[in-house]
Amino acid sequence: AQSVTQPDIHITVSEGASLELRCNYSYGATPYLFWYVQSPGQGLQLLLKYFSGDTLVQGIKGFEAEFKRSQSSFNLRKPSVHWSDAAEYFCAVARSGTYKYIFGTGTRLKVLA
Amino acid sequence: GAGVSQSPSNKVTEKGKDVELRCDPISGHTALYWYRQSLGQGLEFLIYFQGNSAPDKSGLPSDRFSAERTGGSVSTLTIQRTQQEDSAVYLCASSSGQAQDTQYFGPGTRLTVL
């Protein structure tokens, strides 16, 4: 069965510092991979997605993620965090060609001024 | 254009009462999804509608949960005889219908069962 692990429940970084949020998945073939962000009181917004091709994916708001098949990982990165990035981040996986997303439990990001 | 909307944004109910949660998907989107987000948990898939096909109800946690989609647009999630463990945020999403298409999420309905 597919599964997604986000090992960090909470992360705190200073504004301007770099950020990496970890995501590991369990799936036999190449899955579809997603990162969503949820701000307080808001729905989930897609940051980026990976289906195939270039393993480094650029998203909105200056985020990027790299698919590493050997490590079954899809970590989210941002070189310089802004206070407005404080939110909860969810990684999701779907079997290629299907609509069922499996979500991780999320990582809550706090940004210090 | 308008995104996915959900109503009410908050719902407080007493244990044993029935509740209805509404979702208006993005116009033209044929696929609609319901998820449940419990405290400290990820999003849990509940049900999926695609066009006129039979819905995928495999994620519904019990027979107290049901959902319908009228006219291929608006959807209602109904929880009968609510229990305290039903307290969660219920999220609706829609997409254009292709499997790999992005799911766009609404703001959710926060349900509290006293």
Side-chain angles (χ1 to χ4, degrees):
Chain A
Q2 299 167 75
S3 66
V4 178
T5 302
Q6 293 181 248
D8 303 305
I9 299 173
H10 296 280
I11 282 187
T12 300
V13 299
S14 298
E15 190 170 19
S18 63
L19 172 70
E20 182 170 31
L21 301 182
R22 295 183 290 166
C23 173
N24 292 94
Y25 66 90
S26 173
Y27 179 58
T30 300
Y32 292 167
L33 295 160
F34 309 83
W35 274 100
Y36 279 84
V37 60
Q38 186 179 34
S39 299
Q42 305 290 315
L44 277 73
Q45 181 182 22
L46 180 70
L47 287 175
L48 46 80
K49 59 186 178 183
Y50 173 79
F51 291 157
S52 65
D54 192 345
T55 57
L56 184 62
V57 181
Q58 301 298 321
I60 63 171
K61 304 185 179 186
F63 286 92
E64 66 177 27
E66 186 171 13
F67 169 59
K68 292 186 177 180
R69 183 190 305 274
S70 62
Q71 299 177 19
S72 297
S73 69
F74 189 58
N75 294 348
L76 183 71
R77 301 194 295 249
K78 186 170 185 178
S80 178
V81 170
H82 187 263
W83 64 267
S84 61
D85 293 325
E88 190 154 22
Y89 293 78
F90 292 92
C91 181
V93 61
R95 192 170 63 215
S96 58
T98 72
Y99 50 81
K100 280 189 182 177
Y101 288 15
I102 307 298
F103 282 87
T105 52
T107 297
R108 187 171 295 277
L109 174 65
K110 181 177 180 179
V111 180
L112 301 177
Chain B
V4 177
S5 61
Q6 293 185 245
S7 61
S9 55
N10 281 284
K11 177 72 176 178
V12 180
T13 190
E14 293 180 348
K15 178 181 173 181
K17 296 286 182 66
D18 297 351
V19 296
E20 286 189 350
L21 312 180
R22 176 186 168 107
C23 172
D24 284 88
I26 292 172
S27 178
H29 278 187
T30 60
L32 186 146
Y33 315 75
W34 283 99
Y35 293 86
R36 179 169 68 176
Q37 184 178 20
S38 303
L39 189 63
Q41 304 291 315
L43 277 72
E44 174 189 8
F45 167 81
L46 296 178
I47 189 169
Y48 163 73
F49 295 91
Q50 169 57 14
N52 295 320
S53 302
D56 177 353
K57 305 179 182 180
S58 60
L60 294 179
S62 78
D63 58 7
R64 296 185 295 104
F65 288 71
S66 63
E68 63 178 23
R69 189 177 185 192
T70 54
S73 181
V74 172
S75 177
T76 302
L77 177 69
T78 300
I79 308 173
Q80 297 178 310
R81 304 181 302 281
T82 52
Q83 304 294 312
Q84 288 184 332
E85 60 264 28
D86 299 334
S87 296
V89 176
Y90 290 83
L91 291 164
C92 175
S94 71
S95 73
S96 63
Q98 299 299 313
Q100 66 271 28
D101 286 344
T102 299
Q103 294 183 23
Y104 295 88
F105 284 79
T109 293
R110 180 175 297 278
L111 175 65
T112 303
V113 182
L114 302 177

